[in-house]
């Protein structure tokens, strides 16, 4: 059940209606059932995987609550990690590693006679696995009290708004909201509706609108020009941002309608001036997860320059691999790790240039934003490409075919051409005001004009060809 | 206690203020939406003159108008008040008298081509590179295979063509269970009609539409007693027919409603297409597949019976990779039917092979034409005379 569908609208309205009629305990049970229906709509068989993760982590955490011996605690944690990463390994990475090993062996003249398994990737497995892992790790670290309410814990794991594409919530943030009665304020409701509308606008008008143009070029193999590659990559930068942040907005908006507050996942990432800032703005729930559960445990930046770089590279390569079982994601991770390492000596305490500054500073910042946007776009080329051959060919053409402006990229639909400037304007307002809720201070006519413009362009965009959310495949 | 009361009262008053502000914003939203709707109609009115070419924005806001709402803009009561598209594609043999019935030169070859613009481009190309050829073309915009087959059947015996080309456009296979371009092409309806073919005991059986010519359509539009049975026939037999898309309503006046209707039409089209094909190609289970195979077989057999060379032209257009080729090549190979598939010369996944409107570029078309010409020259029962003399004329 996609967020950008009539089915989801009906589902959410039904859940909301039931939710408002029930007391807290029944609300949680109803949300659990609704979440299972939501997930089961893709493939009910994979509910069993989520149940395994839920039961193991619930049991491990309860046992950790009483276990004192370090050996037992470590063994329990290991059991949780092995279960979750084991499921992820089998369902997401088995074929990738098996075929990569076979390729490697054949390079040395050895033929490995096995076949890859016909495994369907369960939607959202990377998200809920990381979410539930963070719970047992936090309990192990004694940073969080284990809960003995199984159904509430199951709801934390499977909460439908953020189940299949995040944000990857921390138990310390979401679980208390599950456990305690929630109140739904008028502000939450209106903000929730706005977030859903804005998320749909990003997804339907922009992401779906440019998808065909991007696919045409990236599916064309090597029959493209410099301008095709550049334009398709710019458009992919827009697509992936609007697709993923649009999903996150709808997730946050849906949760707000139900009285939950889930974390912000994107903060204007293309306004970043450097890779460090980019990762504080892009997919925040993953980058902070990787920081807290991988980079820091590896030693972070506390054991010298060489180890810091090693830790950065390890974290980003695994972060890249998290996105998908393919070598281009590994390469993208290496690229992200490399630019973080290159940038590190020049970083000034990790502070961003304040948006309100002198004209010269702002001009400098704008220049940095533009330059870094192009660095990011090269990363998106690695991310979007379908093969190493394509990456090599496109990278070569960016240099050898430089300035060839002939292009066969299809023009995005009219709604998208209107929607992109509107999006840029709204993001610029958010950046300038320093808050995503800048519009709430506007007078009623101005707000009405904004809502009407969003609605009108959204309705125009409803005829864009719909496409699956990109991050569902991760 | 007093403090608590005052804080509760202040919170209630805050909620009321916010509620009022939100209601005001909602009313302003509705006001601006109405304004935008009216502005779209005022700024981008569709031209009343059927011969005027609307600009892209005028077309954009018109796409979602109901089919019955669009028809009066296309079909006038006279030829002068009818848009050019209104004349296209009618399966009315009386309209075909302007097409050549014999080659201009005695030693030339008349090639009858049935299909759509892709087929016309290929036929023109063959005539351009070899002046011994002349083309008799019967086609309709985006015509589905059932149109092309019906055109061929109706045209049998009307000319001395030595070659018959049946064109199949991959993206129009979805129209095989439609009776008219009015339903299949919701955004820009083509008024011409054609039959649906079904297999009955291994033979193709046609279901003809009740309206079969432009005069009949004009008559039906002016007379509900003729129009309603035709619409009833569409509702029963035409897979693309939907009253929400077809029937005229007062809501046609709203640009917003038109946009929503257009989106719904596209979703519906996608659903129908997905029932016929997936990323791997056309589905063997689709009901149109055996009909299409029977059509090409029947076409080839009757051509041969009439002493003509049958050629099937498989147009794998944008987005269809080699799907049509993979669907029909086994049948064509096993029956020994000559064919040209565009995927060999102009792969559909290479955007450089297409111009903006989806047709092949001149260069891509030239490759296809060369292949078709070679195939026809090789396949003709009587070898062609050298064309040196003709070329010198």
């Amino acid at each position: 059940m996609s967020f950008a569908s009539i089915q989801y609208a009906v589902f959410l309205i039904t859940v909301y209606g039931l939710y408002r009629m029930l007391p807290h305990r029944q609300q949680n049970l109803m949300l659990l059932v609704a979440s299972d229906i939501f997930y089961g709509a893709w493939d009910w068989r994979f509910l069993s995987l989520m149940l395994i993760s839920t039961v193991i982590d619930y049991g491990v955490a309860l046992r950790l609550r009483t276990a004192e011996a370090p050996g037992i605690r470590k063994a329990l944690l290991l059991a949780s990690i092995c279960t979750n990463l084991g499921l992820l390994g089998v369902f997401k990475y088995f074929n990738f590693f098996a075929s990569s090993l076979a390729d490697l062996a054949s390079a040395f003249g050895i033929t490995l006679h096995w076949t890859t398994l016909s495994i369907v990737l369960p939607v959202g497995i990377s998200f809920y696995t990381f979410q539930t892992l963070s719970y047992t790790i936090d309990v192990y670290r004694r940073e969080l009290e284990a809960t003995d309410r199984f159904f509430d814990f199951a709801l934390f794991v499977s909460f439908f708004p953020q189940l299949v594409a995040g944000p990857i919530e921390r138990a310390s943030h979401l679980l208390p909201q599950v456990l305690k009665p929630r109140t739904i304020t008028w502000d939450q409701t209106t903000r929730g509706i706005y977030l859903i509308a804005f998320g749909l606008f990003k997804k339907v008008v922009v992401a779906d609108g440019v998808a065909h143009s991007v696919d045409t070029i990236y599916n064309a193999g090597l029959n493209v020009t410099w301008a095709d590659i550049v334009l398709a990559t710019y458009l992919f930068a827009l697509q992936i941002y609007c697709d993923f942040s649009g999903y996150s907005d709808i997730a946050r908006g849906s949760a707000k309608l139900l009285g939950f507050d889930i974390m912000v996942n994107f903060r204007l990432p293309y306004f970043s001036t450097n890779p460090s800032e980019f990762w504080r703005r892009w997919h925040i729930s993953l980058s902070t997860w990787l920081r807290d559960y991988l980079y820091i445990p590896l030693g972070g930046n506390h054991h010298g320059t060489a180890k810091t770089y090693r830790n950065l590279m390890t974290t980003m390569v695994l972060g890249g691999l998290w996105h998908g079982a393919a070598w281009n994601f590994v390469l993208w991770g290496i690229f992200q790790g490399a630019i973080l390492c290159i940038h590190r000596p020049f970083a000034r305490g990790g502070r961003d240039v304040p948006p309100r500054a002198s004209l010269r500073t702002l001009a400098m910042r704008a220049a940095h934003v533009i330059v870094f946007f192009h660095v990011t776009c090269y990363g998106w080329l690695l991310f979007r490409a379908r093969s190493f051959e394509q990456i090599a060919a496109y990278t070569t053409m960016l240099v050898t075919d430089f300035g060839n402006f002939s292009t066969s990229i299809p023009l995005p639909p009219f709604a998208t051409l209107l929607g992109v400037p509107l999006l840029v304007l709204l993001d610029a307002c958010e950046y300038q005001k320093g808050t995503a809720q800048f519009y709430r201070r506007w007078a009623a006519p101005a707000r009405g004009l904004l809502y009407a413009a969003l609605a009108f362009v959204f309705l125009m965009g409803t005829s864009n060809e719909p496409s699956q959310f990109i991050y569902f495949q991760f | 206690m007093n403090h608590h009361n005052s804080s509760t009262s202040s919170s209630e008053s805050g909620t009321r203020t916010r509620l009022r502000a939100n209601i005001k914003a909602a009313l302003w939203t509705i006001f601006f939406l109405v304004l935008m709707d009216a502005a779209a109609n005022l700024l981008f009115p569709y031209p009343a003159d059927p011969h005027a070419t609307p600009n892209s924005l005028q077309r954009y806001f018109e796409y979602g108008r109901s089919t019955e709402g669009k028809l009066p803009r296309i079909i006038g009561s006279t030829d002068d008040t009818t848009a050019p598209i209104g004349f296209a594609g009618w399966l009315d043999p009386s309209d075909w008298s302007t097409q050549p019935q014999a080659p201009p030169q005695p030693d030339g070859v008349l090639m009858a081509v049935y299909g759509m613009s892709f087929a016309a481009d290929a036929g023109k190309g063959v005539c351009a590179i070899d002046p011994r050829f002349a083309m008799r073309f019967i086609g309709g915009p985006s015509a589905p295979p059932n149109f092309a087959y019906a055109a061929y059947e109706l045209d049998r015996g009307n000319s001395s063509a030595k070659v018959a080309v049946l064109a199949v456009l991959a993206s129009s296979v979805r129209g095989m269970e439609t009776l008219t371009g009015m339903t299949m092409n919701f955004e820009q309806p083509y008024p011409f009609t054609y039959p649906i073919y079904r297999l009955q005991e291994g033979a193709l059986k046609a279901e003809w539409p009740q309206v079969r010519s432009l005069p009949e359509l004009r008559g039906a539009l002016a007379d509900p007693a003729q129009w309603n049975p035709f619409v009833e026939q569409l509702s029963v037999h035409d897979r693309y027919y939907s009253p929400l898309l077809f029937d005229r309503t007062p809501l046609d006046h709203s640009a917003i409603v038109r946009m929503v209707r257009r989106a719904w039409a596209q979703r519906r089209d996608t659903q129908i297409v997905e029932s016929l094909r997936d990323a791997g190609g056309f589905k063997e289970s689709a009901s149109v597949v055996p009909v299409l195979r029977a059509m090409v077989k029947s076409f080839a057999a009757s051509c041969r019976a009439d002493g003509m060379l049958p050629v099937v032209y498989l147009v794998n257009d944008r987005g269809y990779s080699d799907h049509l080729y993979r669907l029909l090549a086994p049948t064509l190979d096993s029956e020994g039917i000559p064919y040209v598939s565009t995927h060999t010369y102009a792969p559909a996944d290479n955007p450089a092979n297409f111009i903006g409107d989806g047709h092949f570029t001149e260069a891509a078309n030239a490759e296809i034409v060369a292949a078709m010409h070679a195939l026809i020259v090789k396949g003709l029962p009587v070898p062609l005379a050298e064309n040196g003399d003709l070329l010198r004329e």
Side-chain angles (χ1 to χ4, degrees), chain A residues 33-69:
Chain A
V33 172
S35 298
D36 288 344
I37 292 170
F38 177 81
Y39 192 76
W42 270 285
D43 194 330
W44 59 268
R45 293 171 302 172
F46 294 134
L47 282 168
S48 58
L49 296 182
M50 201 158 58
L51 184 65
I52 292 170
S53 273
T54 305
V55 169
I56 297 284
D57 289 330
Y58 171 77
V60 163
L62 274 187
R63 185 73 186 85
L64 278 170
R65 190 160 69 173
T66 51
E68 289 299 331

Side-chain angles (χ1 to χ4, degrees), chain B residues 314-345:
Chain B
L314 303 178
V315 186
N316 296 275
D317 54 338
R318 208 153 49 182
Y320 280 80
S321 187
D322 60 350
H323 296 171
L324 191 58
Y325 164 76
R326 283 197 280 123
L327 180 74
L328 289 179
T331 307
L332 297 168
D333 287 334
S334 69
E335 299 289 321
I337 304 169
Y339 64 93
V340 174
S341 177
T342 58
H343 82 284
T344 316
Y345 312 100

Side-chain angles (χ1 to χ4, degrees), chain A residues 170-192:
Chain A
R170 302 296 179 79
S172 55
H173 183 236
L174 184 58
L175 196 53
Q177 297 183 61
V178 174
L179 296 172
K180 288 180 191 160
R182 296 162 293 269
T183 51
I184 302 175
T185 65
W186 180 249
D187 278 355
Q188 270 178 314
T189 304
T190 53
R191 178 70 183 147

Side-chain angles (χ1 to χ4, degrees), chain A residues 313-360:
Chain A
M313 286 303 292
T314 307
T315 305
M316 296 318 293
V317 169
L318 290 175
L321 196 57
W322 175 91
H323 283 81
W327 285 108
N328 65 312
F329 294 121
V330 175
L331 197 59
W332 179 72
I334 292 171
F335 175 77
Q336 293 297 334
I339 59 175
L340 278 166
C341 291
I342 292 166
H343 170 256
R344 191 167 176 78
F346 306 102
R348 286 177 297 183
R351 283 174 310 193
D352 302 334
V353 178
R356 291 178 188 208
S358 70
L359 199 60
R360 188 170 175 276

Side-chain angles (χ1 to χ4, degrees), chain A residues 171-227:
Chain A
S172 55
H173 183 236
L174 184 58
L175 196 53
Q177 297 183 61
V178 174
L179 296 172
K180 288 180 191 160
R182 296 162 293 269
T183 51
I184 302 175
T185 65
W186 180 249
D187 278 355
Q188 270 178 314
T189 304
T190 53
R191 178 70 183 147
I193 292 169
Y194 179 82
L195 280 170
I196 292 172
F198 192 46
L200 284 171
F201 168 83
K202 284 183 186 170
K203 167 65 181 161
V204 172
V205 176
V206 183
D208 287 354
V210 300
H212 174 61
S213 308
V214 174
D215 291 349
T216 302
I217 298 306
Y218 274 93
N219 294 345
L222 309 180
N223 303 307
V224 293
T225 64
W226 178 84

